[in-house]
Amino acid sequence: MQDACHEMNNGEILNKEHEEFTLYDAVLYGDKVLTAKFSKRLSCAIKHLPIRIAFHYEHDTQKALEAGVIKDPTLTLNGEIFLEGLVQAEEITQKFEKLLS
């Protein structure tokens, strides 16, 4: 098991041991530095929530544009833009709590 707050690996499933939680497909678009920072904030912000995230990076600008991404970094969930920009962990937590309510 990974440490609670960590840079997430491509293909990693956060909270994978909780098969009873809903699984979301997440893609983090952007450059390698900003997406690494965002992924660490994400792992810290939602590790305690009843959710599983299958996590992937996408650093290809053309693919980001095709997905409608205009801000770096951007997190999509199940193909929909969910968070844009290098937001704080508190904002990430609040957005996911709202999703789950």
Side-chain angles (χ1 to χ4, degrees), residues 62-96:
Q62 186 59 40
K63 289 182 180 177
L65 292 171
E66 290 169 4
V69 171
I70 57 174
K71 213 170 198 181
D72 190 16
T74 291
L75 178 72
T76 64
L77 276 186
N78 295 344
E80 301 292 324
I81 292 175
F82 190 69
L83 286 164
E84 295 179 293
L86 191 57
V87 296
Q88 296 300 312
E90 295 80 14
E91 185 176 339
I92 296 170
T93 302
Q94 290 171 353
K95 184 83 175 194
F96 275 93

Side-chain angles (χ1 to χ4, degrees), residues 2 6-12 25-43 53-61 63-64 72-76 86:
Q2 290 273 0
H6 65 281
E7 182 180 331
M8 295 178 64
N9 297 312
N10 199 39
E12 178 179 344
D25 182 48
V27 178
L28 187 52
Y29 293 88
D31 73 47
K32 291 181 180 182
V33 172
L34 291 177
T35 56
K37 288 180 184 179
F38 190 105
S39 78
K40 187 168 185 175
R41 289 180 189 180
L42 178 68
S43 72
I53 303 287
F55 186 82
H56 301 280
Y57 290 99
E58 182 54 71
H59 302 297
D60 184 304
T61 303
K63 289 182 180 177
D72 190 16
T74 291
L75 178 72
T76 64
L86 191 57

